[in-house]
Amino acid sequence: MLSISRRVIKFVKLALVLLLLTSIIIVSTGYSDTANDTVRYYTNSIQDYVDTYILPDKDTEEVGDSDLQDIELDFEKIEDTNSSEQEFEHDMFADQENLSDNDQIESVESFFEHLFTSIHSNSPTIENGKIYNEDCLLNGDIGTRPDNYKDWYKLTEKSLGNCLMISEEDLAHLRKKHADYVRLLNSLDLHELSTDKEISEDNSINSFYKGDGIVIVGGDKYTLLSFLAIKTLRHFNTTLPVEVFIPNGESYDRDFCNDLLPQYNAKCIYLSDILSQETIEKNTFQGYQYKSLAILTSSFQNLLLLDADNFAITNLDSIFESNVYKENGLVLWPDFWRRTTTPKYYDLAYKNINTKNRVRNSIDDVSPMEIYNNDKNDLENSPLHDFEGTLPDMSTESGQLLINKNKHMKTVLLSLYYNFNGRSWYYSIFSQRAAGEGDKETFIAAAHYFDLPFYQVRTGPGVDGYFKQDSTNDYRGVGILQHNFIQDYQRYQTAVNDFKESKFGPFKKDELDTFTLDSFYSHYFEGDNKKEVNVMFIHANFPKFNPVELYKSHDFMYNGDHFRSYNNLKRINNFDLELFVYSTLKEYICISNLYFPYVAHSLDNNEDEYAAMCKYIRDRATHMESTHEEALKSN
């Protein structure tokens, strides 16, 4: 759908009024031929003006990113007919009622131009060699289950500090750059707005974000994946609007953005919504940085950031009304592993930590720590991130997160800095070669730095997958299962209340002698006699439902026959994800022949290859249909 500013709407209305008045005057004078000519003239003029909002069709004109004229016009610049360069503005805030003129839009653009200039000037200028000590103990990821307890000594302050090598000189440089950027953020008027009156009178960047919605990063193969995610959202009757962030130019996914998305209460957003072309060209945006940019570019105040390969398998319409979200404004989900952030981060960030005060045992920050009072859990041998002032366990899995940009604008802007400098420094600082090293720790770290509230789900992620056909022991996980944060918070609150009423909660004296983290976790979240918290998201990340790659690799086939990769449908709300996905791919790619540039380019526009890919899709859809009832019965 096209976004047209109020100024333009007023102009069109004025033109129509003038047209009507002119027609009446001319007709009243008896000059009917002149009247008809005048009507045609004004009609054509208005149509020509409105037509400038329509993007060229790919069938009629080849348009490169640099040649693309944006949707939103600046009327004052249009009037300057002597100008050799006609500049156009795509207005991300055009539908918001408290915007009255382009001055406010320009202030938003100026804010982000200044922000990115500041990020540039305060980014580290030295190279991270990413060299690790030979005696670093982090030789594999460490979890929280009982069979991982023996490895927790690798997570102490001494051990984590003996991995990524950062010289004192480099640390001082990082410290200064970080402090200078934070000083800038602290100088901005980014206080939380809590009343309607505050919001209406505020003129900071906070006031430009409105409403609730879902944001997904698209572009290339992720555009197709985002469509599958959107189809799933609508299948479960989620009505929240969706914005798909397209990082690779406004012309690339034209059919998808202009024709398909509006049918699903969704639209595309672009980096050019907040940054000038000059600033975009000065920066090299890539990979994990796109999530932070999508949060910034999105028009929503309350948003769910959802990876394109992530499927929400329940209705999400009420998520922003939940108490846990309202109280915190940031909800995160855990990864499988304990935190491995280097203690040098707290040094460079000037964050005080107290290694004399243990405040938790991984996810358990409720039980008194003396309940774990045994030789294996003394302070010297306790994991660093169990202590006061540190980032909490677990590590984060950022396939989904909820954030209120009003409450957490500083979180958004500091995480942007971490991601902008992630590949060079901060990804290794936060993760130290742990699985999934990337943007996943930047959001929780930014909120923690500013002492802003957040809630991280305690229920550990699950996995669905299959045992390989030629092995009974070789299991392949294909999707991460993340759980309902509202149900999880209710169980956490039960634990909090239990330990308020009794020092050792519901546990008996004989149970305290052998009390472990698993004792706490099993009792509240995943015991044999306790129903698991419902699955809310399936992060289908390995492999992704990319039809080109799956076709080329002939994945999920054995001896020429197809087989299911998701086998525990009862656990995922009896939702047959594979049947839904392959039926959707068959309908839109193979029957309707919807044009996705990524698919066409990946297959070199080869019709035979396209037909062969569709055969793979059709065969998988047929297999899912024929095995659907059986899959519903299996565990």
Side-chain angles (χ1 to χ4, degrees), residues 495-506:
V496 170
N497 293 332
D498 283 351
F499 282 92
K500 279 183 180 177
E501 295 175 2
S502 172
K503 182 175 183 179
F504 297 112

Side-chain angles (χ1 to χ4, degrees), residues 5 8 22 30 45 48 99 152 172 195 278 307 326 333 344 352 409 415 449 484 490 502 510 540 553 584 625:
S5 69
V8 174
T22 303
S45 297
D48 289 341
L99 293 178
W152 283 3
T195 68
E278 180 182 2
D307 275 5
K326 287 184 175 181
W333 277 260
K344 295 182 178 68
N352 293 323
M409 181 51 66
S415 66
Y449 178 85
N484 186 307
Q490 291 170 344
S502 172
D510 60 334
S553 66
T584 301
E625 291 170 0

Side-chain angles (χ1 to χ4, degrees), residues 584-594 610-611 613-615 617-618:
T584 301
L585 290 173
K586 181 178 72 172
E587 177 183 354
Y588 286 89
I589 290 183
C590 301
I591 296 176
S592 299
N593 291 315
L594 190 68
Y610 199 95
M613 178 193 68
C614 279
K615 182 180 186 307
I617 292 173
R618 292 175 190 273

Side-chain angles (χ1 to χ4, degrees), residues 69 154 212 266 321 353 358-359 379 397 447 457 589:
Q69 293 182 339
K154 300 177 182 180
D212 309 333
E321 299 302 316
I353 61 176
R358 189 182 186 194
V359 294
L379 295 183
E397 195 274 307
V457 171
I589 290 183

Side-chain angles (χ1 to χ4, degrees), residues 425-463:
W425 279 100
Y426 283 98
Y427 295 160
S428 56
I429 285 172
F430 288 135
S431 295
Q432 298 201 104
R433 299 185 301 194
E437 181 176 289
D439 71 307
K440 66 198 205 79
E441 308 302 339
T442 60
F443 304 102
I444 193 171
H448 174 267
Y449 178 85
F450 287 114
D451 296 319
L452 291 169
F454 58 85
Y455 180 74
Q456 187 165 36
V457 171
R458 265 64 177 181
T459 303
V463 178

Side-chain angles (χ1 to χ4, degrees), residues 21-223:
L21 290 174
T22 303
S23 300
I24 293 173
I25 293 171
I26 294 174
V27 170
S28 66
T29 61
Y31 296 104
S32 58
D33 290 340
T34 305
N36 290 335
D37 291 340
T38 305
V39 170
R40 281 194 294 271
Y41 171 78
Y42 276 99
T43 301
N44 293 335
S45 297
I46 295 170
Q47 184 61 51
D48 289 341
Y49 183 69
V50 174
D51 283 347
T52 62
Y53 289 85
I54 308 301
L55 295 174
D57 293 331
K58 67 176 179 65
D59 294 327
T60 59
E61 183 177 352
E62 288 293 324
V63 183
D65 292 345
S66 61
D67 299 322
L68 184 64
Q69 293 182 339
D70 291 341
I71 294 172
E72 177 65 23
L73 290 165
D74 185 331
F75 180 57
E76 294 176 356
K77 292 176 182 176
I78 292 296
E79 289 182 327
D80 182 10
T81 56
N82 295 324
S83 173
S84 60
E85 294 183 8
Q86 297 282 330
E87 295 189 24
F88 301 93
E89 302 293 327
H90 180 125
D91 180 1
M92 67 181 289
F93 304 113
D95 297 327
Q96 298 186 9
E97 294 185 1
N98 66 332
L99 293 178
S100 57
D101 55 51
N102 284 342
D103 290 340
Q104 288 180 303
I105 302 303
E106 290 172 3
S107 72
V108 175
E109 293 173 348
S110 297
F111 175 88
F112 286 116
E113 298 291 342
H114 177 62
L115 175 71
F116 278 87
T117 299
S118 300
I119 290 176
H120 259 296
S121 61
N122 293 305
S123 291
T125 57
I126 54 177
E127 184 178 351
N128 178 7
K130 299 182 182 178
I131 300 173
Y132 289 81
N133 280 318
E134 291 182 1
D135 54 351
C136 172
L137 298 177
L138 295 177
N139 54 1
D141 299 307
I142 301 170
T144 60
R145 295 302 190 180
D147 58 350
N148 301 126
Y149 294 171
K150 66 183 185 301
D151 293 319
W152 283 3
Y153 74 94
K154 300 177 182 180
L155 302 173
T156 63
E157 180 182 21
K158 180 180 179 180
S159 176
L160 293 181
N162 193 40
C163 289
L164 180 65
M165 297 176 66
I166 305 177
S167 69
E168 288 300 319
E169 180 182 1
D170 289 353
L171 193 62
H173 179 77
L174 292 169
R175 188 185 299 121
K176 181 181 186 307
K177 292 294 186 180
H178 188 279
D180 288 345
Y181 181 71
V182 167
R183 189 176 299 112
L184 164 74
L185 297 187
N186 285 329
S187 71
L188 299 175
D189 183 19
L190 297 175
H191 61 282
E192 180 184 354
L193 309 174
S194 55
T195 68
D196 291 339
K197 186 173 187 296
E198 286 179 330
I199 294 172
S200 65
E201 295 179 353
D202 185 80
N203 197 35
S204 72
I205 189 65
N206 283 344
S207 66
F208 291 100
Y209 295 111
K210 304 294 181 185
D212 309 333
I214 299 169
V215 180
I216 304 174
V217 175
D220 292 318
K221 65 183 176 183
Y222 296 102
T223 295

Side-chain angles (χ1 to χ4, degrees), residues 548-561:
V548 176
E549 294 177 359
L550 292 175
Y551 148 66
K552 289 183 176 181
S553 66
H554 283 79
D555 214 339
F556 307 131
M557 296 184 69
Y558 183 73
N559 290 337
D561 296 324

